[in-house]
Amino acid sequence: QVQLAESGGGSVQSGGSLRLSCAASGYTYKTYSMGWFRQAPGKEREGVAAIDSDGSTNYADSVKGRFTISQDKADNTLFLQMNSLKPEDTAMYYCAAGQTSSRAAVARRGYTGMSLWGKGTLVTISS
């Protein structure tokens, strides 16, 4: 059974950093694109960062220059390094896998192209 499990969320002050991890079991990253999504209360889920199986990455405009997605294929782990965090980054963050492109994943409604989801990890940024 394929499973994705996020960790690393927490509460930090504005300007701080967090590193999220997503451990995958039951399949390989080699054939899927992977992404980080977030959803704040009352808002639609949005793609934050995504990476293709060849390592190409794409980011939402709101996080470019602050967030970095990476993966360790040997350990089947996906990461999201988040720096210069802002209160508007507060959300539940989800790891997902799918066969859409990383570019499509961070576009509007990109979450519809992802087929596997973790349960999420909460990120709270205080001002």
Side-chain angles (χ1 to χ4, degrees):
Q1 183 179 359
V2 178
Q3 289 186 327
L4 301 176
E6 304 92 338
S7 61
S11 298
V12 298
Q13 289 190 326
S14 181
S17 298
L18 284 172
R19 189 189 196 207
L20 306 184
S21 299
C22 173
S25 60
Y27 85 106
T28 176
Y29 281 110
K30 293 180 182 178
T31 57
Y32 281 78
S33 62
M34 301 290 300
W36 288 98
F37 295 76
R38 66 186 182 188
Q39 188 166 19
K43 293 190 176 180
E44 188 174 24
R45 190 168 295 190
E46 62 174 349
V48 172
I51 185 167
D52 292 311
S53 57
D54 66 358
S56 302
T57 59
N58 277 277
Y59 297 89
D61 288 343
S62 59
V63 306
K64 282 181 181 177
R66 301 189 297 123
F67 290 11
T68 303
I69 189 172
S70 61
Q71 63 186 41
D72 183 336
K73 291 187 175 181
D75 286 341
N76 264 1
T77 305
L78 184 74
F79 302 99
L80 184 68
Q81 178 65 44
M82 305 186 295
N83 299 327
S84 302
L85 284 160
K86 305 175 181 180
E88 51 262 45
D89 294 319
T90 295
M92 186 70 80
Y93 282 70
Y94 299 91
C95 170
Q99 292 184 319
T100 187
S101 69
S102 64
R103 182 176 181 179
V106 300
R108 185 172 179 269
R109 295 180 59 80
Y111 59 87
T112 59
M114 310 304 275
S115 53
L116 303 171
W117 292 88
K119 294 182 179 180
T121 185
L122 183 62
V123 171
T124 303
I125 312 302
S126 58
S127 57

